[in-house]
Amino acid sequence: MENTPENSRKPAARAKVAPVLLNELGKIPPQAVDLEQAVLGAMMLEKNAVTDIIDILKPQSFYDPKHQFIYGVIRELFGSSSPIDLLTVTNKLKENGELEAAGGVAYISQLTSRVASSAHVEYHARVISEKHIKRELIRMGSEVIREAFDDTKDTFDVLNKAESDLFQIAENNMGKHVDVMQNVVRQAIEEIEKASRNSDGISGVPTGFHSLDKLTSGWQKSDMIVIAARPAMGKTAFVLSMARNTAVDYNMGVAVFSLEMSSVQLVKRLIAGEARISAEKLRKGDLKDHEFQQLHTRIAKLATAPIYIDDTPGISVFDLRAKCRRLKMQYDIQLVIIDYLQLMTAGGSKGSGNREQEISTISRSIKEIAKELNIPIIALSQLSRSVETRGGDKRPVLSDLRESGAIEQDADIVSFIYRPEYYGLLQDDDGNSNAGVGEIIVAKHRNGALDKVRLRFVGEYARFENIDNYSEDENVPTQSNLNANMGFEEEPPQSYTIKSKMNNFDDNETDFNKSMDEDTPF
């Protein structure tokens, strides 16, 4: 087509018209005022309508301020089990001095006249909720833009706040929101009834250690658990054994943040314990044919276990919070393990003061993350050298926690790992042998009893076991504890590639056998 002056002017003219129209029209926040009126009218007409949507909407879900006052009063009446109708709502608004702000008696009366049926009230409520989510996203985005232009704001503080706000919006709207006492009581009763149906009495995340689970009923949601010990007591061995039990035996997702050891080192220790081949043999690659068969047969379940390892050194609280949120959303993890707390940093550009104040900030932040994600978080911690200089049996006490009393204050459970055999104490007070025995001492338990639990520590495999899984005469596991096929003299199984979820923080899974070939000598 010939490019005449007329043709060349048309696109330019259209380009000018579009911005003018946009500027004249402007933008209106997402809203559904007509549906808000229908929902409020239905709630004042039918009791079932209130029950259907009381947990879906909050006062701030409504765009019109008048409707926020009306709905707030309806929730108040519902919480006190009072009747909800035109008269009770009007009277309650009058008592609260909010009748005029809610539009007056005439406006409230019109709401009930607009409704013929409450058949679709739940659908309408969800539309209102979606509009509210969009408004929240717009508000959050505007705040992020404003703070990003502010040079006085720390970049990572802005990023952390944005991610926190976004996660909060998602959490508040993923399920029914409960803040009415009646609903909270009902939820508590349901959890009690569910716990009563558990024959093992475990209501939280199980550890696989029967005596410990009996004492704690499993690690409870939103709890911060501190496990502390002196070096060489087996802190990492204990939490790895526990992570294995939780992931393999109970199929619950476990995230391990290893600040001291690499992910490959941790996996080698898990393999040693699972295959029951000494860590020294694995390091040297000095395995016989039947041991290779034993290795591949016994690690099949471990290789596909929902264990996610992050070995970022010196991870900050900011990074920890971000990664935990992401893991919770992607894999629905049920437990987080941090090895160990003193190697973390508070992060941020602001001066953190002395080390004790920094540890206090880290401890408080870990507790906040546990509450935010509603999962237990286990943080390993070092003990001070005062344990070594003390006489007697050298059992740790709460005052031995290193660098900060805030750890003891923030934690819901504080446990110590103590192996008397390490200090040459070969018998306990009752005359029982301490050979290969590790004690888990629960020194603080916010919601339960204090006690100590005896476990079997197998140093060769860097593994903790239930003490009743071992025979009295030999430091070997009983047959009932072996899940793997013992018949290695039989025809060897065919080799195959196993996909592993371990150390798979991103969506891209890595080939387990390939990683073993590259990173281990076998």
Side-chain angles (χ1 to χ4, degrees):
M1 180 183 293
E2 184 180 356
N3 189 15
T4 63
E6 291 183 1
N7 290 332
S8 62
R9 282 198 299 269
K10 287 181 180 179
R14 284 195 292 268
K16 291 180 181 178
V17 170
V20 171
L21 290 175
L22 288 175
N23 290 333
E24 288 178 355
L25 293 174
K27 292 184 179 179
I28 302 174
Q31 56 177 295
V33 176
D34 53 342
L35 294 183
E36 293 179 6
Q37 293 172 339
V39 165
L40 292 174
M43 295 178 79
M44 288 187 285
L45 283 176
E46 296 188 26
K47 182 178 180 180
N48 290 339
V50 179
T51 307
D52 289 342
I53 66 175
I54 196 70
D55 290 335
I56 299 176
L57 299 175
K58 301 178 288 291
Q60 58 267 33
S61 300
F62 291 84
Y63 178 74
D64 193 324
K66 299 192 296 293
H67 300 162
Q68 294 180 8
F69 285 110
I70 297 170
Y71 184 70
V73 164
I74 290 175
R75 288 176 68 90
E76 191 175 344
L77 292 170
F78 179 81
S80 60
S81 300
S82 301
I84 298 172
D85 55 37
L86 179 61
L87 290 177
T88 56
V89 170
T90 303
N91 289 335
K92 193 65 178 176
L93 285 167
K94 190 181 297 182
E95 289 177 13
N96 296 347
E98 299 169 346
L99 184 57
E100 293 304 318
V105 177
Y107 180 76
I108 299 171
S109 301
Q110 290 177 4
L111 296 177
T112 56
S113 64
R114 290 174 176 266
V115 182
S117 170
S118 63
H120 306 292
V121 66
E122 186 172 350
Y123 172 77
H124 294 160
R126 296 196 181 280
V127 173
I128 295 171
S129 179
E130 290 173 8
K131 299 295 185 183
H132 172 244
I133 293 173
K134 290 182 177 180
R135 294 198 300 272
E136 286 293 286
L137 290 172
I138 293 170
R139 176 194 58 78
M140 188 205 77
S142 300
E143 289 181 1
V144 171
I145 292 172
R146 184 178 65 253
E147 293 184 354
F149 276 107
D150 189 347
D151 291 336
T152 64
K153 298 286 186 180
D154 180 73
T155 303
F156 292 101
D157 287 344
V158 174
L159 183 60
N160 182 48
K161 184 177 182 300
E163 189 171 32
S164 177
D165 289 347
L166 185 60
F167 184 83
Q168 195 66 41
I169 292 172
E171 280 291 289
N172 288 343
N173 295 279
M174 281 173 63
K176 291 191 173 182
H177 181 74
V178 291
D179 57 3
V180 179
M181 187 61 183
Q182 181 178 355
N183 293 339
V184 178
V185 170
R186 184 173 65 248
Q187 184 179 359
I189 295 298
E190 288 174 357
E191 290 186 1
I192 294 170
E193 291 175 349
K194 181 179 178 181
S196 69
R197 292 192 294 269
N198 293 335
S199 58
D200 53 11
I202 300 176
S203 58
V205 177
T207 66
F209 301 124
H210 308 319
S211 299
L212 183 60
D213 285 338
K214 184 177 179 181
L215 178 62
T216 63
S217 299
W219 304 130
Q220 301 299 308
K221 294 179 179 179
S222 78
D223 274 5
M224 173 185 171
I225 301 106
V226 172
I227 297 176
R230 288 292 295 155
M233 288 294 107
K235 293 189 299 296
T236 304
F238 174 72
V239 294
L240 283 181
S241 300
M242 179 179 58
R244 179 264 170 214
N245 295 342
T246 302
V248 175
D249 296 340
Y250 298 94
N251 197 33
M252 293 184 173
V254 180
V256 180
F257 291 88
S258 176
L259 286 76
E260 190 173 32
M261 300 174 65
S262 72
S263 58
V264 174
Q265 287 177 313
L266 288 182
V267 170
K268 285 181 181 178
R269 295 185 68 164
L270 281 167
I271 291 173
E274 190 73 7
R276 298 195 180 281
I277 298 174
S278 70
E280 184 178 358
K281 277 193 170 185
L282 293 180
R283 281 196 301 270
K284 294 179 179 179
D286 185 20
L287 276 73
K288 299 178 181 178
D289 290 343
H290 77 275
E291 289 176 321
F292 272 110
Q293 295 178 19
Q294 179 178 340
L295 172 69
H296 288 292
T297 302
R298 290 184 175 177
I299 66 170
K301 290 184 179 179
L302 178 65
T304 56
I307 300 176
Y308 309 96
I309 301 176
D310 184 286
D311 58 1
T312 304
I315 192 171
S316 67
V317 172
F318 166 77
D319 290 333
L320 176 71
R321 180 183 282 111
K323 291 182 178 184
C324 284
R325 286 172 182 157
R326 203 171 306 143
L327 283 166
K328 179 65 176 175
M329 287 188 286
Q330 289 181 352
Y331 303 112
D332 192 27
I333 56 171
Q334 300 298 313
L335 178 68
V336 171
I337 296 171
I338 303 169
D339 182 16
Y340 59 93
L341 187 147
Q342 277 85 1
L343 292 179
M344 291 185 64
T345 60
S349 60
K350 299 176 182 177
S352 56
N354 59 38
R355 181 58 179 165
E356 184 173 340
Q357 291 174 338
E358 188 175 17
I359 291 293
S360 298
T361 301
I362 294 169
S363 174
R364 185 168 58 251
S365 298
I366 291 173
K367 176 59 180 176
E368 290 172 356
I369 297 169
K371 289 185 66 177
E372 178 182 329
L373 300 182
N374 198 31
I375 58 174
I377 295 182
I378 297 174
L380 300 188
S381 176
Q382 290 278 22
L383 292 177
S384 65
R385 292 188 177 89
S386 60
V387 175
E388 309 294 340
T389 59
R390 193 164 52 234
D393 59 10
K394 302 186 186 299
R395 276 186 172 84
V397 293
L398 289 173
S399 59
D400 294 326
L401 282 172
R402 187 175 172 182
E403 290 184 308
S404 177
I407 299 175
E408 174 190 348
Q409 193 173 23
D410 295 328
D412 297 280
I413 295 178
V414 177
S415 297
F416 301 117
I417 301 176
Y418 171 66
R419 292 197 295 114
E421 183 184 20
Y422 180 83
Y423 295 106
L425 303 173
L426 303 181
Q427 287 187 334
D428 63 10
D429 296 337
D430 299 325
N432 299 318
S433 174
N434 285 330
V437 171
E439 292 183 2
I440 309 300
I441 304 169
V442 180
K444 177 187 176 182
H445 193 183
R446 186 164 286 164
N447 301 305
L450 307 180
D451 205 347
K452 65 180 181 181
V453 173
R454 287 167 65 88
L455 300 175
R456 181 67 63 186
F457 175 70
V458 189
E460 185 180 10
Y461 308 137
R463 174 177 176 139
F464 278 83
E465 290 277 1
N466 289 298
I467 204 163
D468 55 2
N469 284 344
Y470 281 75
S471 63
E472 294 292 333
D473 299 328
E474 300 180 65
N475 185 20
V476 294
T478 61
Q479 185 69 24
S480 62
N481 187 47
L482 297 180
N483 297 323
N485 179 14
M486 298 297 294
F488 294 109
E489 69 282 355
E490 300 175 1
E491 183 179 351
Q494 295 180 353
S495 62
Y496 53 88
T497 302
I498 303 170
K499 290 289 187 178
S500 173
K501 293 182 181 178
M502 293 182 293
N503 197 27
N504 182 21
F505 186 78
D506 296 322
D507 291 334
N508 297 325
E509 294 188 349
T510 58
D511 185 275
F512 182 80
N513 286 344
K514 181 179 178 182
S515 66
M516 291 295 99
D517 291 340
E518 293 175 351
D519 299 310
T520 64
F522 52 84

